Amino acid sequence: MNDFTLEILKTLVEGKDIKEIFRFHVESAVNQLLQYEL
């Protein structure tokens, strides 16, 4: 399994909000794209 899958599983086991994982990864991807554009 990759890190993303493990992170999702860990979040579910701990009973945390999975939306936060997706928000973090989308935000990171957008920030990287913006950095490449500059």
Side-chain angles (χ1 to χ4, degrees), residues 3-4 7 11 13-16 23 33 35 38:
D3 291 338
F4 182 69
E7 192 173 352
T11 301
V13 167
E14 293 175 354
K16 295 180 181 176
R23 184 201 62 76
L33 286 172
Q35 285 180 352
L38 297 176

Side-chain angles (χ1 to χ4, degrees), residues 2-3 5 8-11 13 15-22 26 28 30-32 34 37:
N2 61 24
D3 291 338
T5 305
I8 289 174
L9 289 174
K10 182 180 173 187
T11 301
V13 167
K16 295 180 181 176
D17 188 12
I18 198 169
K19 291 183 219 173
E20 198 57 32
I21 299 293
F22 288 107
V26 169
S28 294
V30 169
N31 285 338
Q32 285 180 346
L34 289 173
E37 289 294 319

